[in-house]
Amino acid sequence: MGVAEVVGVLNAAVPVSSGEPRCWVNAGWSRSVDLEGAPRWAGLDPGASDAEEVRGLIAVLVAADSLRSAKAQVAGFLLDVWCLGVKNALPPEPMTASQLAEHRHAYFSAFEGYVPVPAEVARALVFGAADYARGLGFEAEADFDAAAAVLGEPVGPCPIGFGKDGKPFYVNGPYDDPEAIVRTLRRAVGDDGFHYAVAFPEQPRRRLFRARR
């Protein structure tokens, strides 16, 4: 089943509740987290394939319709569900239906498409990742609160498991301070409590320094 077919099927299968925002997540998201506590949610990601590379990054897009305007308030989140939580948050921006469609296509262009999910799943991913990272010593980025206001508050404990193979796993991005992040992880969970794969700035990107994998 192609991504376009998946989106069509799930749009029909997942009705939007009154007052709930519409939410989308990149296809394959379910392979990056532990859904043992919420096995029913795995069925919302039929695009997941064992052939795809598993990454710790998940993109979430949220659109909240307004009673006062034809434009929806659209916010987005890039999550590192293995370690850092909310790496990036896009604060709400008003968009027409056509603007949202164009924005959604561009937003997920780095992934293998996207699938719609109920708001409860998006909340569990976003707030759960933020809480997981906070427990390790990492706060969400500055625009998180503004973007989260569009998503709404979570209800109950998060059933999703974060980290990789039961531990934080840090893979650095181009704007990270890897040494500071590794120091924070050591303070939080000890030398043996996490894994990492880091390319330090003075090294070619293809040469990774790996530890405890």
Side-chain angles (χ1 to χ4, degrees):
M1 179 181 289
V3 170
E5 294 174 289
V6 169
V7 171
V9 168
L10 288 179
N11 270 326
V14 183
V16 177
S17 300
S18 176
E20 287 281 73
R22 291 172 286 153
C23 304
W24 300 267
V25 184
N26 61 280
W29 66 271
S30 64
R31 300 183 66 231
S32 299
V33 293
D34 180 358
L35 291 180
E36 184 177 352
R40 67 191 186 282
W41 287 353
L44 298 173
D45 188 22
S49 166
D50 289 337
E52 297 172 0
E53 178 186 3
V54 179
R55 298 188 288 174
L57 296 179
I58 291 179
V60 180
L61 189 66
V62 182
D65 295 316
S66 172
L67 295 176
R68 300 179 180 179
S69 171
K71 294 183 177 181
Q73 292 292 322
V74 180
F77 306 86
L78 179 63
L79 310 176
D80 174 358
V81 296
W82 290 352
C83 184
L84 298 180
V86 183
K87 286 184 69 70
N88 184 256
L90 298 179
E93 180 181 348
M95 296 185 189
T96 64
S98 60
Q99 288 171 332
L100 171 57
E102 183 177 352
H103 177 69
R104 186 172 56 219
H105 177 75
Y107 192 76
F108 291 104
S109 61
F111 296 89
E112 296 296 322
Y114 57 89
V115 293
V117 295
E120 64 172 339
V121 176
R123 291 186 188 111
L125 285 169
V126 171
F127 290 107
D131 287 344
Y132 179 75
R134 191 175 296 115
L136 298 173
F138 306 110
E139 291 295 330
E141 66 102 56
D143 289 321
F144 174 70
D145 288 341
V150 176
L151 186 54
E153 293 294 329
V155 177
C158 177
I160 295 176
F162 298 92
K164 189 174 191 297
D165 300 326
K167 294 182 178 181
F169 180 25
Y170 170 59
V171 180
N172 69 305
Y175 306 110
D176 291 346
D177 182 344
E179 292 181 346
I181 290 171
V182 169
R183 285 197 302 270
T184 299
L185 285 168
R186 284 184 172 135
R187 287 196 300 268
V189 296
D191 286 347
D192 297 324
F194 68 99
H195 301 301
Y196 63 91
V198 171
F200 289 100
E202 65 272 14
Q203 297 176 316
R205 293 293 298 172
R206 65 178 179 276
R207 294 175 59 194
L208 295 182
F209 174 67
R210 297 181 182 274
R212 295 185 299 279
R213 284 293 297 146

